[in-house]
Amino acid sequence: MVVLPDAPPPRRPPETIPTMTEIDLRPGRLLRRIGQPEPVLGFRGVQIDDERLANVLSADAPLLELHAGTIHSEGPAWQATTQRLVWSDVPNRRLLGWYLDGHVEVLIDGVWFMNGNAVESDGTLVHCEHGRRCISRGGDYDNAPEPIVTHFEGRRINSPNDIAVAPDGTIWFTDPIFGIIMPNQGALADPELDHRSVYRFDPVSGVLARMADFEQPNGLDFTADGRTLYVSDTSLSLGEVPGYTAGDKHEIIAFDVGEGGALSNRRFFCQTDHGYPDGFAIDSQGWVWTTAADGVHIWSADQRKLGFIPTPAVASNCAFGGVDGRRLFIAATEYLLAIDLSE
């Protein structure tokens, strides 16, 4: 009997290796799926110090977690044209978007350490960038924002931090040095300017004007009528940077705004006892809702403390928005939070 050797297995045709394009290799954009937000566990409620606050915000209003997972949330801005909340994750170099159905996506990846964001009247976004040390406009997932302000009197600006669009369409921003002395917020560089200032940029004329000087200007916002500007000075936070000494400023300053944006009647408005007033928002009746290390503090226009919203992490900025404008969005370190006003 003859034993035949086993026949070799049939040869498989070579596999076709797909050709990958740059678009195929880009990371996904989805960070949170569609779904309802969850109340923050352990939230002890809103502290009401003045009955006026009780008329617009319930002490029992739940604090909602819209997203978690950022490193340093900043710069929330409501973009009504797209019905979304836009905000920055500064060290992660991402611009993010939260939508009404609850999903969160990356709007622009690989940004240059964006911080503050604002929305022009036509819905166009404007941004503060630490890395490129500029004010930029627009941008999307496929296109980088366009720098529109980079220098003042021939010298590089420092590291724009927060930004606001005035009722007349001019763009105002603060320019401290945080983004050029903190490697996780930008890149180290020597400042070319000998001042830390608030600027007004007219996008029509292209004129950039230096409006006021501070130790370290940070947040800023206007009242709805544009007649009052608030600016926070947070030089105290320099103590968090190795090699720097803390300043003594942890306060918000108010100005009257006149013709052509002229500022006058500079005056102290408030200060925070825990940390410093980073970013803040002004509501329709002129109340100041300012972030701090322990949450959001609410002050009336007549400088009365109205109440306090504790947060589970350091709050850095906040903004009003939502379908009816009655939702306060809070950027707090790893979270995007929200609380709804009652009327």
Side-chain angles (χ1 to χ4, degrees), residues 292-295 310-316 330-335 337:
D294 53 352
T311 55
V314 174
S316 60
I330 305 167
T333 314
E334 67 264 40
Y335 301 108
L337 307 169

Side-chain angles (χ1 to χ4, degrees), residues 42-260:
F43 178 60
R44 62 179 185 268
V46 177
Q47 176 181 311
I48 304 292
D49 297 321
D50 188 297
E51 190 62 28
R52 287 176 290 177
L53 181 61
N55 293 328
V56 300
L57 180 62
S58 169
D60 299 325
L63 183 66
L64 305 174
E65 180 186 302
L66 305 184
H67 182 66
T70 53
I71 296 177
H72 177 47
S73 284
E74 255 287 8
W78 178 254
Q79 191 178 25
T81 53
T82 53
Q83 293 289 284
R84 66 188 180 189
L85 190 284
V86 174
W87 86 105
S88 301
D89 185 0
V90 183
N92 262 337
R93 297 178 55 191
R94 285 173 162 178
L95 183 70
L96 308 178
W98 174 89
Y99 292 81
L100 294 174
D101 63 8
H103 88 271
V104 172
E105 66 181 20
V106 178
L107 302 180
I108 313 178
D109 207 359
V111 297
W112 291 101
F113 300 97
M114 274 183 183
N115 192 325
N117 304 285
V119 184
E120 295 184 283
S121 60
D122 65 354
T124 302
L125 292 169
V126 285
H127 321 276
C128 293
E129 297 191 30
H130 290 177
R132 296 196 294 179
R133 299 168 67 180
C134 71
I135 299 300
S136 60
R137 174 187 279 132
D140 55 35
Y141 198 66
D142 298 305
N143 301 286
E146 175 190 2
I148 57 174
V149 178
T150 59
H151 291 70
F152 175 70
E153 296 183 341
R155 297 182 180 182
R156 290 288 299 277
I157 54 178
N158 298 313
S159 57
N161 189 282
D162 205 357
I163 188 167
V165 178
D168 65 0
T170 56
I171 298 169
W172 295 62
F173 64 93
T174 58
D175 190 38
I177 62 171
F178 301 127
I180 56 175
I181 64 174
M182 302 171 67
N184 68 335
Q185 298 279 324
L188 301 182
D190 294 326
E192 297 182 17
L193 299 169
D194 61 1
H195 50 86
R196 321 289 176 244
S197 306
V198 170
Y199 294 92
R200 176 184 187 264
F201 175 67
D202 186 335
V204 176
S205 66
V207 173
L208 178 66
R210 174 182 170 191
M211 306 305 293
D213 296 340
F214 292 81
E215 289 187 15
Q216 295 295 334
N218 197 324
L220 82 169
D221 201 6
F222 289 91
T223 52
D225 60 9
R227 295 179 180 177
T228 306
L229 171 69
Y230 293 91
V231 182
S232 65
D233 193 333
T234 63
S235 65
L236 178 69
S237 63
L238 287 175
E240 301 171 2
V241 183
Y244 285 80
T245 301
D248 60 2
K249 302 294 186 184
H250 52 112
E251 63 190 22
I252 295 177
I253 300 297
F255 297 89
D256 294 338
V257 183
E259 188 71 24

Side-chain angles (χ1 to χ4, degrees), residues 3-9:
V3 179
L4 299 176
D6 293 337

